[in-house]
């Protein structure tokens, strides 16, 4: 990791020096250990603030578009991209949200980021003040404890089944692309869930969704939720209620999944953002599986490929149609 | 030839697909059209068909909208159930006498409810269903007939034959039966006539050996078509007539009544191979376990994408193809059928089938023969209308044009093309002028209702007892009165009758209504009528909604009156909810620049240019090369005795003499921008010397295609191996060779080119006959896979065999092998080895010359052009039309057309026809100063749009584009924009837009939300 | 007591399925009176939101019907729609909406009988499932 950060800082410093960039969107240490925070770096002198390690979970791509809207067209932007960030960038290009030349992509080899919720459960909620990585272990230190955990026990579920750890498109790659991909079957959870009866599944979602506060953190964190005006906030007609009525809530989540189907890059931002720990990725992964199996499409890999829901094939499967 | 008569009306004879197309295009060009039809409905043969090849489109589904359009067109007068008696007078001023047969049912009053039919006691065989079922004497020709009204067949009616009955009259609540109706003879003054009299299927009774009518399980292909049809006598369940069992083995026998000198039908009917393949595929789809076998001589899958269909039939559906003429059919084991035939390998065989379908050929209509003299035109030896190769749409009498299969066998798209083509000739002949107005009818000025509170009028129709007999209409009326914004609700006996329409208009005035709901039959047939009523009352026509409480309620739930009434109330409430949210719509007027751009100066491009300029519109003709003429420059002879080079010289002269045509040569296209009526094109001419920019209203793509250069059979490596085109150039000065060999399908129908190049069989036979003429002793071998001399070309194939030209078949497993005779000698003779399938052994021919019939390739430049025009190509880079069957020269994008080899390989006469068709279709736009875009189209709320581009990608009409726009002060960004001139109103963009930025007028989110929320649950 | 009658909303495309429904009527083919029809130009016009709103409003079932592949009056509207429907159906069933509640069909203008069969089947399926409860909002 140290190598990566070192090279990252050197490269960025050089880019600033050569005036190739005006702004870097990257990660820096947050107030809590293991929770990094986005940074918008504008000067070479600040490069040491940049970090990249297991704490860098956020998907930064969402900021790319915001930057574009506020009319900073002439600013040259660089972005630090893990695999999922990189896929989101590709999807943005495919959907015309940015142009390839708008951004300098700095790929970083991602071997997964931690799930703070998993950490908390391992430390029984005790505050971690320091951490370090040793091969496949992560060592956590707090006021009165030090524990060594298997990385695989605290990495985000998304990372454990990640297939694309490196950005598919990049201008510069820090060190070199990693070969380590997630070992878990990407659809395991979905496949297991599908085995339940219809009623059991409904029961599960009813319970799960009844926790939802309609805070829209999932939507706000999702790089693919970039609508100017989300369907749920629209009137004329106002299709669904905005309160916490369970039907309205479930439908909100269904529509969000339909709207991100064939576009979701599995970054896990939604689940990470959810304050009440709803297992949002279950639905998204199901949609992803369907898109992959039916249409052979994986979002965020090829900026020239037409996104699945904007395309068709005369031979698409239609076993469900009478 | 143009005439100066002031008569701008056209008589179209026959309302099959060709006649309908000819009528529509003529009317769109501003002519007054009289369309006469022998049967009680327009539609012709297409409604009898189940599906159409090679797309398996449902025939009536694609035809019905055209029928409706035709029946509603203000420029078209229908004369249904009528026959042509005579055409007298002079070209430009014909007197056409027609007989309108008495229908005995007033079409104005008949509401097609069918009560009369129920009561009618006499059953007779139904000719529409090929006598496979019975119908009543009072009947509707077929379910989707237009007009939909009933007709009495007086020859079998009890009242007319025995003076008793009149039960239908008692049953009819609409008072539509009129036993006093009489045949009427009327005379129409018409400037020109278009014959579209179509064909009859061959009656195979003369083929005694096949046992038609003797054996129950031998049927004709048209009978089988009705058996396949979902609305046919068997409702699409294929069962054999003898025992209503599903047939396990079906045999199709090709060329029954075609390619048969004995029957004097020495022509190929062109469509039977394809329809048999289609029927075999559909049969297989219906009954998985069935095994269809097609017995054929040659499979003539010569049209666009036909060979792919043929290959799919074999590989995907397992259809068996047996190359053999069936000698005889005998009954076996009861009603099974044993077919005896000699296989291609000379072996006598027999096989047993459950059902035999005779693929009967197309014959000229017998009725036409009778009037041949009356209308004074010449027919050929078969009875088809005689035409000349370079004037394929002209009959022998000036001012009378012909289209469709009346002049020779044609499939549907060819019929459509020839119909449009005939209209181009007709337009020139009649010297049609540019039209000032969009519509011929004048309506009062529209009342401005924007901002007014909705005041809805609800009219609930009894439709005699059709609705009221099941649904409690009064209950529905009372219910409607309680709904918000309903100012007036009433019942009405027949909402569509003239007096009812007047009642609606009076109520609009009296109650100041600004939205109208009619609960009656289906909007598919009646919405236009009621919309017109609204316009007459000064309301915007889109402030109208219908609730379908007949076709989709009372008729479908006849035994459940209470539930039907409940349903009717829901439908009315939904209709009122939608009506409340309707707003006035207006189609955007689009001004039309009356100039045409034709891309490509080959035969098709030249003919299209002339056809447009001859009607008086300016044309820019762009040619990539330094000379006009394209492939025609290399063609020196035709089958028959016409000189193509003379024709080429004449055509070029006409082009140069025509002041309306500007020709640019050595052109490189840079850019084409714009949309229907308003295009801008930039190009360089004279090899980049000067850059030009032109403005025009339409585009015709005529970029042609080229002969490919093969890399097999020693081509390019041996001096005595040549292509047909190269050969044709030298043919006049050919030395006397002892032996010449021709190989067909070089590069075609295999590998990447899974299509037939269509022209090569005719071309090879043409060239072979020419050699035989000058050197009768030269031996000529033609090695072929299937000889595809379709249509009237067949007789030249017979002639070639009579002249001693030897035809030997090869297949892909045994392709001919060519080597130089004598080592390393690339100038000497050749040794050609081929496998004789009949003798089952290799045969070697020594030849002084080998001529290769090579494939036709689409130019690679098509890809660039397709991008510029935003139009699609097929897999082989030929341009892809809007619809394979019914829109063969149009693109989905309005204002762009195609013709000639850019579309697919074709012969000279076919290119001429398609070029004229493209011109006519283009003229339907150019002749209008303004066209009105559709009212029900999409619109964008730019503040919501994120420019994700889904809408652009899902739009089939290239009607959506992303453009930079200032959507609020200081906010400029990319947003989607709908081109109103191109949008067709399908709503795919609206449904695909995640941001809710796109909506569809007439079917807005709001309207749908309100309608579905109106239902009480 | 009278038999419970489910209410089913049917979205029919104008050119094929709506015409097929008309043809069923013209041919007097009888089918259950449980559907309420909304006519749309093309099955491509159907936003999955429409279907969800029907379920929330308490319709016991929803049917969406368009032209057969290749028959679309708007060239490819039904192909684009088919992808939406596949995803919608998969997600609905995944969260536990009974498979019979939301159904899709292709019915051509010539298939009056098929239309009646589809409506009979969908109605029977839904009668078997009983009144809709899941996703239904209590207003």
């Amino acid at each position: 990791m140290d190598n990566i950060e070192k090279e990252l800082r050197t490269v960025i410093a050089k880019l600033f020096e050569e005036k190739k960039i005006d702004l870097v969107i990257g990660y820096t240490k947050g107030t809590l250990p293991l929770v990094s925070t986005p940074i918008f770096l504008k000067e070479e002198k600040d490069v040491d603030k940049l970090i990249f390690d297991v704490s860098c979970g956020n998907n930064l791509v969402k900021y790319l578009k915001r930057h574009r809207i506020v009319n900073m067209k002439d600013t040259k932007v660089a972005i630090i991209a893990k695999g999922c960030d990189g896929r989101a960038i590709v999807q943005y290009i495919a959907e015309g949200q940015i142009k390839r030349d708008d951004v300098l992509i700095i790929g970083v080899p991602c071997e997964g980021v931690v799930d703070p919720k998993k950490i908390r459960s391992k430390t029984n909620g005790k505050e971690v003040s320091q951490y370090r990585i040793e091969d496949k272990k992560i060592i956590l230190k707090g006021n009165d404890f030090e524990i060594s955990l298997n990385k695989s026990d605290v990495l985000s579920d998304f990372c454990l089944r990640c297939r694309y750890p490196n950005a598919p498109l990049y201008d510069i790659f820090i060190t070199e692309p990693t070969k380590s991909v997630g070992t878990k079957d990407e659809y395991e959870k979905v496949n297991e869930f599908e085995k339940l009866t219809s009623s059991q599944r409904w029961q599960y979602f009813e319970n799960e969704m009844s926790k939802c506060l309609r805070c829209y953190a999932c939507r706000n964190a999702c790089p693919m939720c970039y609508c100017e005006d989300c369907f749920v906030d629209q009137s004329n007609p106002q299709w669904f209620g905005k309160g916490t009525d369970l039907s309205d809530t479930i439908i909100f989540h269904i529509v969000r999944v339909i709207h991100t189907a064939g576009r979701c890059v599995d970054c896990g931002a939604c689940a990470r953002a959810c304050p009440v720990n709803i297992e949002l990725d279950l639905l998204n992964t199901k949609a992803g599986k369907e898109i992959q199996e039916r249409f052979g499409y994986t979002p965020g890999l090829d900026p020239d490929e037409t996104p699945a829901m904007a395309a068709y094939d005369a031979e698409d499967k239609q076993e469900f149609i009478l | 030839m143009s005439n100066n008569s002031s008569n701008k009306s056209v008589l179209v004879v026959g309302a099959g697909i060709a006649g309908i197309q000819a009528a529509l295009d003529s009317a769109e060009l501003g002519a007054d059209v009289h369309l006469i039809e022998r049967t009680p409905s327009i539609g012709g043969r297409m409604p009898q068909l189940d599906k159409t090849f090679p797309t398996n489109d449902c025939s009536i589904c694609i035809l019905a909208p055209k029928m409706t359009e035709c029946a509603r067109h203000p420029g078209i007068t229908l004369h249904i159930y009528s026959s042509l008696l005579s055409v007298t007078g002079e070209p430009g001023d014909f007197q056409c006498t027609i007989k309108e047969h008495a229908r005995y049912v007033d079409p104005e009053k008949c509401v097609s409810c069918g009560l009369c039919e129920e009561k009618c006691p006499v059953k007779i065989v139904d000719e529409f269903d090929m006598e496979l079922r019975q119908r009543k004497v009072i009947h509707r020709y077929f379910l989707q007939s237009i007009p939909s009204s009933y007709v009495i067949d007086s020859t079998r009616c009890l009242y007319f034959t025995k003076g008793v009955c009149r039960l239908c009259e008692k049953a009819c609540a609409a008072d539509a039966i009129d036993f006093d109706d009489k045949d009427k003879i009327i005379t129409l003054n018409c400037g020109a006539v278009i014959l579209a009299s179509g064909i009859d299927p061959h009656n195979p009774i003369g083929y005694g050996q096949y046992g038609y009518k003797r054996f129950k399980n031998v049927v004709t292909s048209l009978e089988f078509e009705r058996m396949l049809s979902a609305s046919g006598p068997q409702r699409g369940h294929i069962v054999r007539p003898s025992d209503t069992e599903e047939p396990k083995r079906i045999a199709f026998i090709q060329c029954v009544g075609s390619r048969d000198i004995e029957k004097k039908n020495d022509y190929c009917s062109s469509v039977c191979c394809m329809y048999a393949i289609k029927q075999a595929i559909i049969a297989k789809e219906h009954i998985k376990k069935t095994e269809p076998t097609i017995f054929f001589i040659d499979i003539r899958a010569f049209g666009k994408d036909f060979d792919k269909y043929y290959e799919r039939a074999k590989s995907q559906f397992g259809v068996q193809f047996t190359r053999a003429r069936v000698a005889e059919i005998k009954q076996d084991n009861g009603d099974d059928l044993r077919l005896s035939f000699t296989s291609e390998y000379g072996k006598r065989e027999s096989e047993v089938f459950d059902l035999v379908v005779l693929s009967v050929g197309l014959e000229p209509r017998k009725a036409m023969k009778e009037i041949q003299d009356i209308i004074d035109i010449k027919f050929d030896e078969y009875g088809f209308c005689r035409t000349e190769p370079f004037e394929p749409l002209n009959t022998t009498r000036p001012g009378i044009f012909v289209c469709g299969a009346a002049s020779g066998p044609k499939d549907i798209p060819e019929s459509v093309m020839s119909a449009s083509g005939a209209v181009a000739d007709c337009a020139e002949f009649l010297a049609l002028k540019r039209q000032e107005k969009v519509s011929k009818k004048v309506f009062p000025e529209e009342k401005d209702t924007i901002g007014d509170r909705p005041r809805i009028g609800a009219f609930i129709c009894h439709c005699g007892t059709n609705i009221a007999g099941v649904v409690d209409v009064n209950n529905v009326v009372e219910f409607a009165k309680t709904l918000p914004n309903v100012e007036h609700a009433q019942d009405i006996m027949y909402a569509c009758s003239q007096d009812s329409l007047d009642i609606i208009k009076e109520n609009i005035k009296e109650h100041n209504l600004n939205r109208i709901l009619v609960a009656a039959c289906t909007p598919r047939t009646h919405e236009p009528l009621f919309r017109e009523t609204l316009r007459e009352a000064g309301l915007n026509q889109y402030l109208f909604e219908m609730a379908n409480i007949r076709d989709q309620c009372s008729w479908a739930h006849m035994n459940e009156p209470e539930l039907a009434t409940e349903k009717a109330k829901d439908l009315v409430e939904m209709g009122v909810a939608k009506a409340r949210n309707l707003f006035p719509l207006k189609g955007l007027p689009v001004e039309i620049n009356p100039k045409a751009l034709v891309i490509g100066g080959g035969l098709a491009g030249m003919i299209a240019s002339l056809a447009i300029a001859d009607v008086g519109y300016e044309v820019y003709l762009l040619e990539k090369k330094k000379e006009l003429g394209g492939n025609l420059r290399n063609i020196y002879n035709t089958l028959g005795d016409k000189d193509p080079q003379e024709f080429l010289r004449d055509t070029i002269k006409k082009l140069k003499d025509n002041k309306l045509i500007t020709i640019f040569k050595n052109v490189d296209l840079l850019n084409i921008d714009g949309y229907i009526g308003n295009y801008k094109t930039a190009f360089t001419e004279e090899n980049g010397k000067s850059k030009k920019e032109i403005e025009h209203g339409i585009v015709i793509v005529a970029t042609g295609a080229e002969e490919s250069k093969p890399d097999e059979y020693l081509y390019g490596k041996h001096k005595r191996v040549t292509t047909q085109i190269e050969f044709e150039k030298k043919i006049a000065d050919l030395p006397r060779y002892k032996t010449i060999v021709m190989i067909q399908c070089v590069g075609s129908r295999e590998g990447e080119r899974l299509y037939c190049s269509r022209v090569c069989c005719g071309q090879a036979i043409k060239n072979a006959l020419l050699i035989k003429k000058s050197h009768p002793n030269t031996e000529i071998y033609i090695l072929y896979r299937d000889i595809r001399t379709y249509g009237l070309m067949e007789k030249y194939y017979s002639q070639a065999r009579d002249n001693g030209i030897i035809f030997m078949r090869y297949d892909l497993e045994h392709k001919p092998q060519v080597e130089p005779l004598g080592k390393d000698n690339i100038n000497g003779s050749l040794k050609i080895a081929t496998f004789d399938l009949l003798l089952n052994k290799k045969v070697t021919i020594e030849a002084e010359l080998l001529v290769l019939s090579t494939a036709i390739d689409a130019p690679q430049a098509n890809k660039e052009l397709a991008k510029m025009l935003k139009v699609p190509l097929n897999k082989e880079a030929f341009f892809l039309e809007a619809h394979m069957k019914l829109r063969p020269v149009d693109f989905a994008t309005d204002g762009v057309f195609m013709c000639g080899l850019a579309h697919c390989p074709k012969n000279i006469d076919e290119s001429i026809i398609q070029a004229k068709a493209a011109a006519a279709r283009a003229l339907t736009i150019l002749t209008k100063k303004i066209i009105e875009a559709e009212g029900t189209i999409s619109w964008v709320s730019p503040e919501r749009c994120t420019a994700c581009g889904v809408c652009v990608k899902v739009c089939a009409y290239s009607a959506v584009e992303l453009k930079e726009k200032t959507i609020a002060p200081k906010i400029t960004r990319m947003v989607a924009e709908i081109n109103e001139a191109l949008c067709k109103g399908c709503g795919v963009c609206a449904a695909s837009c995640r941001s809710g930025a796109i909506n569809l007028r007439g079917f807005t989110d709001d309207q749908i939300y309100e309608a579905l929320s109106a239902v009480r649950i | 007591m009278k038999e419970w009658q489910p209410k089913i909303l049917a979205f029919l495309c104008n050119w094929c399925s709506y015409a097929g429904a008309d043809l069923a009527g013209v041919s007097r083919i009888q089918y259950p009176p449980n559907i309420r029809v909304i006519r749309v130009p093309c099955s491509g016009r159907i936003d999955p939101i429409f279907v969800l709103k029907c379920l929330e409003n308490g319709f016991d079932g929803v049917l969406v019907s368009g032209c057969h592949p290749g028959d679309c009056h708007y060239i490819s509207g039904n192909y684009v729609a088919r992808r939406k429907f596949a995803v919608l159906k998969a997600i609905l069933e995944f969260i536990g909406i009974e498979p019979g509640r939301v159904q899709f069909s292709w019915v051509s203008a010539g298939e009056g009988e098929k239309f009646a069969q589809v409506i009979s089947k969908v109605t029977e399926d839904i009668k078997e499932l009983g009144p809709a409860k899941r996703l239904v909002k209590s207003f």
Side-chain angles (χ1 to χ4, degrees), chain B residues 354-479:
Chain B
D354 299 315
L355 182 69
V356 172
V357 180
L358 305 178
S359 293
V360 294
L362 313 184
E363 285 179 357
R365 289 197 50 77
K366 289 181 189 65
M368 283 309 289
K369 276 185 194 155
E370 293 159 19
I371 62 165
Q372 172 175 4
D373 298 332
I374 311 174
I375 58 176
D376 189 26
I377 58 170
K378 300 264 185 304
F379 285 20
D380 68 9
E381 64 262 48
Y382 314 114
F384 291 114
C385 213
R386 188 182 292 278
T387 58
E388 294 297 330
F390 303 140
E391 290 192 324
L393 303 164
N394 291 21
T395 68
T396 47
R397 183 169 173 192
I400 301 188
F401 305 93
V402 62
C403 64
S407 59
K410 285 184 188 61
D411 66 2
I412 293 166
E414 288 175 331
S415 297
V416 171
M417 282 189 245
S418 66
S420 296
V423 171
D425 280 342
C426 206
E428 185 219 339
F429 183 76
L430 294 178
L432 293 175
K433 294 260 162 22
R434 202 157 192 230
Q435 304 165 74
E436 298 287 328
K437 285 197 298 277
V438 179
S439 168
K440 294 195 170 180
K441 194 166 164 180
V442 184
F443 294 96
E445 203 179 326
E446 248 173 58
K447 211 159 44 177
D448 181 9
T449 57
I450 295 179
D452 292 355
R453 190 175 61 87
R455 299 175 60 85
I456 303 170
F459 298 86
I460 320 294
C461 178
H462 289 251
C463 195
T465 56
N466 281 293
I467 295 169
V470 178
V471 170
D472 182 346
V473 169
N474 289 332
N475 186 336
V476 179
V477 172
E478 289 312 310
F479 171 73

Side-chain angles (χ1 to χ4, degrees), chain A residues 17-31:
Chain A
E17 197 181 331
E18 291 169 355
K19 301 220 180 313
K20 286 195 176 143
I21 53 169
D22 304 315
L23 174 76
V24 177
I25 307 177
Y27 301 96
T28 193
K29 277 203 169 59
T31 36

Side-chain angles (χ1 to χ4, degrees), chain A residues 91-97 224 226-227 258-263 297 305-312, chain B residues 945-962 975-976 978 987-998, chain C residues 44 76 80-81 83-84:
Chain A
Q91 201 60 22
Y92 270 34
I93 299 170
E95 296 178 8
Q97 299 306 298
M224 288 306 141
Y226 57 66
C227 283
I258 288 173
H259 282 180
T260 55
R263 308 169 57 237
Y297 178 81
E305 192 177 355
T306 307
M309 299 311 286
Y312 66 83
Chain B
C945 175
T946 51
C948 73
V950 174
C951 45
V952 178
K953 295 185 179 98
V954 297
C955 179
Y957 304 98
S958 310
V960 198
E961 256 187 300
L962 296 176
V975 288
I978 309 285
V988 173
C989 54
S992 299
C993 180
R994 300 181 293 270
S995 323
I998 308 188
Chain C
S76 53
V80 177
R83 289 204 163 184
K84 286 193 188 85

